[in-house]
Amino acid sequence: MGQQYALYNPLNGATHFLQESAYETVQALVQQPMTMTALMACLGLDEAREEAEAQVVQSGLLRLLWELDNLGIIAPLPC
């Protein structure tokens, strides 16, 4: 089991406890906004893999981003 990190959001006064993968994702996005492709590359999730496995990885990352957005930790950029 990985580490847990506490993240305080000053915008809403909430503290969230994140698993290591969520923390690494937030840290990557703090540096700069990224497309899904760039984020996957930054996190090392773009390694060559079978199509079905790649879809599972991307779906998991999309779910994580959705959860972080719902918690108010991240926000999508306007188009």
Side-chain angles (χ1 to χ4, degrees):
M1 188 160 104
Q3 300 233 20
Q4 268 199 342
Y5 297 85
L7 176 71
Y8 175 72
N9 185 345
L11 298 176
N12 62 14
T15 299
H16 305 283
F17 294 94
L18 305 178
Q19 295 295 329
E20 192 167 3
S21 60
Y23 177 78
E24 289 172 356
T25 301
V26 171
Q27 287 300 102
L29 293 172
V30 164
Q31 302 301 314
Q32 65 182 356
M34 293 184 205
T35 63
M36 177 63 79
T37 302
L39 181 58
M40 287 182 72
C42 181
L43 296 172
L45 300 174
D46 65 340
E47 299 171 358
R49 59 183 84 223
E50 191 177 302
E51 179 67 25
E53 185 181 353
Q55 287 181 351
V56 169
V57 170
Q58 186 170 3
S59 293
L61 184 55
L62 283 170
R63 173 71 183 188
L64 174 60
L65 293 172
W66 180 83
E67 290 176 6
L68 293 172
D69 182 28
N70 280 335
L71 291 172
I73 296 172
I74 64 167
L77 289 175
C79 295

